[in-house]
Amino acid sequence: MAGDGTEARTKPPTKPRTTRNRTKPRARLRPPRLTPRDVLHAGSAGLRSRPVRVFLSALGIAIGIATMIAVVGISSSSQAKLLRELDKLGTNMLVATPAPAMFSGQDTKLPKEAPGMVSRIAGVESVGTTGDVGESVRRSENIPKEETGGIALKAAKDDLLGTLRASVARGAWLNAATARYPSVVLGHVAARRLGITEPGQQVFIGGRHFTVTGILAPVPLAPEVERAALVGWEAAEQLLGFDGHPTAVYERSADDRVAAVRSLIAQTANPRTPSGVSVTDPSAALQAKAATEGAFSTLLLGLGGIALLVGGVGVANTMIISVLERRHEIGLRRSLGATKGQIRIQFVTESLLLSGLGGLAGIALGAAATAVYARAGDLPWVVPLWAVTGGFAATLAIGTLAGLYPAVRAARLSPTLALQAA
């Protein structure tokens, strides 16, 4: 028994087994996930149910974007036309004219040999010459001599047309035969002021009638030629008392020789008095105009931005009203398991769709307005890609900002209160 007792004392007592009520942890409820298709469907539901309100709200966005696209497109189209003209006319022409005397204020005269000397400069490809003739140009002898309509009379050599890269709209240019007889070619502005529409008609110059043999097309690089009547060099000397001194020497040089020719042309045209020669680049005006084209469109762009901002305010107002009207729908979705984040995504998506539709409509309207303007003004139709992408990105940014507050307000609605309010 002692052994039994010792054995009993050495063995640890066994604890009675107790059964604990272990409860399994409850599985957390996970909200349903929305696919992009579900988000688009939920976001467009409000738009489909209120088409008139959607149209009016998107109209403000469309007007703002259309204004911005049209302003940029019209400016770019005009600039493209100028650059096209520059490519056609070239930027390698210089004009040498008499410079005003320093003290007398009168123009000095270029030597009669100036055109020939300029043509011998290395790199010069062609030379054209005009000289002022002190006679009036009138439609008939019955018109007073003082009423010239601002039309100048110039003597011209037959190489002038090629140097200017000009063309004859109707009729023919002066040639070796007509340059010696009383014939005249009119610039298109001079022809319009005289009322001459076709070759064969006559004008009154220096006490006799001259027959119009041609009418020039516009000459952008020489506006003084557009407003003048041009007679042959020999006819001007023999019939009108022209002294033979050129007043404008036009030269074309190779593109890589323009700077070198410019530095030599003054002392070459008038070696005795180089300071009496003024050298200009007629293409510089077109280049400056092309560079500054659209400078006056800043104000219109600002107005378009204001219209776009007003359109964004209209979208925000529409979304707030939509939230107030759809509280029952929001409460029902929340009670069925929709999260606050899903409610926010729904209303932000609706705002983005609303502003995106307005942006697309505005881009189409702006591009159409640019096309109409370009067709009416004979311009190339140009709508820059950056204007389209930038304008659409602006609409999406405004749509996001306009939808944030209504989306947050919708997400904060209590499901029970929303259902009770319904």
Side-chain angles (χ1 to χ4, degrees):
M1 292 182 62
D4 294 338
T6 303
E7 185 178 3
R9 284 195 300 268
T10 56
K11 288 184 178 180
T14 60
K15 295 181 179 180
R17 296 181 178 178
T18 58
T19 60
R20 296 179 180 178
N21 296 327
R22 296 180 180 178
T23 59
K24 295 182 180 180
R26 295 180 179 177
R28 294 182 179 179
L29 295 177
R30 295 182 179 179
R33 294 182 179 180
L34 296 179
T35 63
R37 181 179 179 181
D38 296 332
V39 172
L40 289 176
H41 185 271
S44 62
L47 304 182
R48 295 193 303 268
S49 60
R50 300 169 180 83
V52 176
R53 184 185 298 174
V54 169
F55 172 78
L56 295 177
S57 300
L59 185 61
I61 296 284
I63 292 175
I65 292 297
T67 302
M68 299 175 72
I69 295 295
V71 168
V72 175
I74 291 172
S75 175
S76 299
S77 299
S78 300
Q79 187 179 41
K81 182 180 181 180
L82 288 174
L83 293 176
R84 181 181 295 179
E85 288 182 354
L86 279 174
D87 291 338
K88 178 182 178 181
L89 299 173
T91 57
N92 59 344
M93 189 176 80
L94 297 175
V95 184
T97 56
M102 189 67 67
F103 299 103
S104 65
Q106 297 180 352
D107 292 344
T108 58
K109 290 186 177 182
L110 294 177
K112 295 181 180 180
E113 301 80 9
M117 292 187 293
V118 170
S119 65
R120 288 191 288 270
I121 299 176
V124 173
E125 298 175 345
S126 64
V127 174
T129 312
T130 62
D132 290 341
V133 182
E135 290 288 347
S136 61
V137 181
R138 292 172 287 167
R139 186 66 179 85
S140 70
E141 66 273 16
N142 299 322
I143 298 176
K145 191 174 182 179
E146 295 77 15
E147 297 182 9
T148 63
I151 300 171
L153 179 63
K154 295 179 180 293
K157 293 189 175 181
D158 54 3
D159 51 6
L160 176 66
L161 194 69
T163 303
L164 294 179
R165 294 184 183 174
S167 60
V168 179
R170 289 181 291 277
W173 175 243
L174 300 169
N175 53 43
T178 57
R180 295 178 294 173
Y181 296 99
S183 57
V184 61
V185 174
L186 301 176
H188 82 285
V189 175
R192 185 175 67 246
R193 291 175 179 175
L194 290 170
I196 303 294
T197 57
E198 295 294 336
Q201 297 176 280
Q202 291 186 330
V203 294
F204 195 73
I205 303 173
R208 67 171 63 206
H209 289 91
F210 278 63
T211 302
V212 177
T213 61
I215 299 175
L216 295 180
V219 189
L221 292 185
E224 66 278 5
V225 173
E226 295 179 334
R227 295 165 173 79
L230 306 170
V231 296
W233 201 270
E234 295 180 13
E237 290 179 329
Q238 297 173 4
L239 303 177
L240 301 172
F242 175 52
D243 61 5
H245 286 275
T247 52
V249 178
Y250 304 86
E251 69 81 26
R252 289 274 183 184
S253 55
D255 292 335
D256 58 346
R257 294 287 300 172
V258 174
V261 171
R262 189 185 186 100
S263 64
L264 296 173
I265 193 171
Q267 55 264 41
T268 303
N270 193 351
R272 292 184 178 180
T273 315
S275 60
V277 180
S278 175
V279 182
T280 57
D281 179 4
S283 66
L286 285 178
Q287 294 179 39
K289 187 176 180 181
T292 58
E293 186 67 38
F296 295 102
S297 63
T298 304
L299 176 61
L300 294 177
L301 284 175
L303 293 176
I306 293 175
L308 187 60
L309 182 61
V310 171
V313 173
V315 171
N317 185 47
T318 300
M319 295 304 302
I320 292 175
I321 295 175
S322 178
V323 170
L324 294 177
E325 291 180 346
R326 298 164 63 187
R327 285 178 296 178
H328 177 69
E329 174 192 338
I330 296 170
L332 184 60
R333 289 199 61 198
R334 288 297 310 280
S335 64
L336 293 177
T339 64
K340 293 182 178 181
Q342 292 173 347
I343 298 297
R344 285 194 294 266
I345 291 176
Q346 173 186 347
F347 282 92
V348 169
T349 301
E350 184 174 335
S351 177
L352 281 172
L353 290 174
L354 181 57
S355 59
L357 291 174
L360 291 176
I363 291 172
L365 289 174
T370 303
V372 171
Y373 182 86
R375 185 176 182 84
D378 194 21
L379 303 175
W381 180 60
V382 178
V383 178
L385 181 61
W386 65 264
V388 176
T389 55
F392 190 69
T395 61
L396 296 182
I398 287 180
T400 303
L401 294 176
L404 281 178
Y405 173 71
V408 172
R409 183 169 179 175
R412 289 179 178 177
L413 286 177
S414 172
T416 55
L417 293 179
L419 291 173
Q420 289 177 0

